[in-house]
Coordinates of all heavy atoms in Angstrom, one line a residue:
Chain P
Y1386 N 12.7 -16.3 8.0 CA 12.2 -16.1 6.6 C 10.7 -16.3 6.4 O 10.2 -15.8 5.5 CB 13.0 -17.0 5.6 CG 14.4 -16.5 5.3 CD1 15.4 -17.3 4.7 CD2 14.7 -15.1 5.4 CE1 16.6 -16.8 4.4 CE2 15.9 -14.6 5.0 CZ 16.9 -15.4 4.5 OH 18.1 -14.9 4.1
R1387 N 10.2 -17.2 7.2 CA 8.8 -17.6 6.9 C 8.0 -17.6 8.2 O 7.5 -18.6 8.6 CB 8.7 -19.0 6.2 CG 9.4 -18.9 4.8 CD 9.1 -20.2 4.0 NE 9.7 -21.4 4.6 CZ 11.0 -21.7 4.4 NH1 11.8 -21.0 3.8 NH2 11.4 -22.9 5.0
P1388 N 7.8 -16.4 8.8 CA 7.0 -16.4 10.0 C 5.6 -16.7 9.7 O 5.1 -16.4 8.6 CB 7.2 -14.9 10.5 CG 7.6 -14.1 9.2 CD 8.4 -15.1 8.4
V1389 N 4.9 -17.3 10.7 CA 3.5 -17.6 10.5 C 2.6 -16.6 11.2 O 2.7 -16.5 12.4 CB 3.2 -19.0 11.1 CG1 1.7 -19.3 10.9 CG2 4.0 -20.1 10.3
P1390 N 1.8 -15.8 10.5 CA 1.0 -14.8 11.1 C 0.0 -15.6 12.1 O -0.6 -16.5 11.7 CB 0.2 -14.2 10.0 CG 0.9 -14.6 8.7 CD 1.6 -15.9 9.0
R1391 N -0.2 -15.1 13.3 CA -1.0 -15.8 14.3 C -2.4 -15.3 14.2 O -3.0 -14.8 15.1 CB -0.4 -15.5 15.7 CG 1.0 -15.9 15.8 CD 1.2 -17.4 15.5 NE 2.6 -17.9 15.8 CZ 3.1 -19.0 15.4 NH1 2.3 -19.9 14.7 NH2 4.3 -19.4 15.7
V1392 N -3.0 -15.5 13.0 CA -4.3 -15.0 12.7 C -5.4 -15.7 13.6 O -6.2 -15.1 14.2 CB -4.6 -15.1 11.2 CG1 -6.1 -14.8 11.0 CG2 -3.8 -14.1 10.4
A1393 N -5.4 -17.0 13.6 CA -6.5 -17.8 14.3 C -6.2 -17.5 15.8 O -7.2 -17.2 16.6 CB -6.4 -19.3 14.1
E1394 N -5.0 -17.5 16.3 CA -4.7 -17.2 17.7 C -5.2 -15.8 18.0 O -5.7 -15.6 19.1 CB -3.2 -17.3 17.9 CG -2.6 -18.7 17.8 CD -2.2 -19.1 16.4 OE1 -2.7 -18.4 15.4 OE2 -1.5 -20.1 16.2
G1395 N -4.9 -14.8 17.2 CA -5.3 -13.4 17.5 C -6.8 -13.3 17.7 O -7.3 -12.6 18.6
Q1396 N -7.6 -14.0 16.8 CA -9.0 -14.0 17.0 C -9.5 -14.6 18.3 O -10.4 -14.2 19.0 CB -9.7 -14.6 15.8 CG -9.5 -13.8 14.5 CD -10.1 -14.5 13.3 OE1 -11.3 -14.7 13.2 NE2 -9.2 -14.8 12.3
R1397 N -8.8 -15.7 18.7 CA -9.2 -16.4 19.9 C -8.8 -15.5 21.1 O -9.6 -15.4 22.1 CB -8.4 -17.7 20.1 CG -8.9 -18.9 19.3 CD -10.3 -19.3 19.6 NE -10.4 -19.6 21.0 CZ -11.5 -19.4 21.8 NH1 -12.6 -18.8 21.2 NH2 -11.6 -19.7 23.1
I1398 N -7.7 -14.9 21.1 CA -7.2 -14.0 22.2 C -8.2 -12.8 22.3 O -8.6 -12.5 23.4 CB -5.8 -13.5 21.9 CG1 -4.8 -14.7 22.0 CG2 -5.4 -12.4 22.9 CD1 -3.4 -14.4 21.4
A1399 N -8.6 -12.3 21.2 CA -9.5 -11.1 21.2 C -10.9 -11.6 21.8 O -11.5 -10.9 22.7 CB -9.8 -10.6 19.8
A1400 N -11.3 -12.8 21.4 CA -12.7 -13.3 21.8 C -12.6 -13.6 23.3 O -13.7 -13.4 24.0 CB -13.1 -14.5 21.1

Side-chain angles (χ1 to χ4, degrees):
Chain P
Y1386 276 160
R1387 297 191 293 281
V1389 177
R1391 302 303 184 191
V1392 169
E1394 292 85 345
Q1396 291 176 61
R1397 284 297 305 147
I1398 292 165

